[in-house]
Amino acid sequence: MTRIYNFAPGPAALPREVLMQAAAEMLDWRGSGLSVMEMSHRGKEFMSILQEAQRDLRELLSIPDNYKVLFMQGGAIAENAIVPLNLVGSKPQPATVDFINTGSWSTKSIAEARKYCTVNVAASSEESKFTSIPARDAWRLTPDAAYVHVCTNETIGGVEYHFVPDVGAVPLVADMSSHILSRVIDVSKYAVIYGGAQKNIGPAGLTMVIVREDLLGHALSVCPSAFDWTVVAKNDSMYNTPPTYAIYIAGLVFQWLKRQGGVAAIEQRNIAKAALLYDYLDATDFYGNPIAKDCRSRMNVPFFLHDKSLNDAFLAGAKEHGLLQLKGHKSVGGMRASIYNAMPIEGVHALVEYLKEFEKNNG
Ligand SMILES: *Cc1c(COP(=O)(O)O)cnc(C)c1O
């Protein structure tokens, strides 16, 4: 049988080793007699799973001691409300928040934040159909904004920040859902980093928030307690029942990542994987990628066939070759290959071989 490679944008491929370990531990986690799904979240077994996952995440991202790591629920979409609910209270109301609009996900964040604050879209790449990131010197920032929000990897459009924007003393908030742990980041440059787990970390249901401690304590009074970062932090992410199984799997992924050599090592592999695919797309006239070269995502590679009438045949052939979930998002069309940490370079080689073969037979 052909080996399957899953290019889904999220929920996405998990490392095979992690799935095998989870299968082996499914009925009896390390002699406890219980599945992780059946454990009390306050029992010592699950507490050890949670603490180890938090420790490993801190180690992998070198998270400074003055940041809290919160495991929440609701996904990045819920955080689009939770972030303003927790941060705008640091300013007189109504507070202003600056947004950089680089695509579908930042557009969603903007729409949600409008419920809680005055939104200033300080820069947007909408005119270029979100194929670029507005140059930093063109951002029209508000001096006393409560924070500046960016989406550092636009999963749908395939646009990634390869720089950390300097926004002075204003807190920088980043939705990193689809590239967290794919590259080395300097956490200290950000005030808040958040993301859903189902792209590059683990199963859906777990949301990660990394927040600088001095930003806690300003939640609006209407903020639900379960979404108040201060409450969540005080209760070690146990104010409400956390998504226990998703945390367990994320913990296994963190251990897997450490065995790969950590984030710096996986980043080198991600660079090589992305180069392999983009180099081929650039070398042919049969396929194309519309994104400006300085902000192409290493994780999500949208591409299109110049002859759209071949799309269905392309996807059917890809499936026959064991290359799954390559259809692009409906808002962009065409194809998209998501090549997160768990995608081995062999999968990208297999995709490029198929791209060549399809071109030869149809070009
Ligand atoms: C997937 C994604 C989201 C939405 O995540 P949910 O878990 O569905 O809330 C938000 N932002 C980015 C960048 C994403 O990739």
Side-chain angles (χ1 to χ4, degrees), residues 9-11 74-80 104-106 108-109 151-156 175-179 194-199 204-207 300 336 340:
I77 290 181
E79 288 301 323
N80 285 339
S104 300
W105 289 116
S106 26
K108 274 219 163 93
S109 300
C151 174
T152 46
N153 187 63
E154 288 278 0
T155 322
I156 292 173
D175 175 357
M176 292 198 186
S177 294
S178 50
H179 75 161
Y194 69 92
Q198 72 272 22
K199 312 290 166 59
L206 168 65
T207 316
N300 309 99
R336 171 176 44 167
Y340 299 117

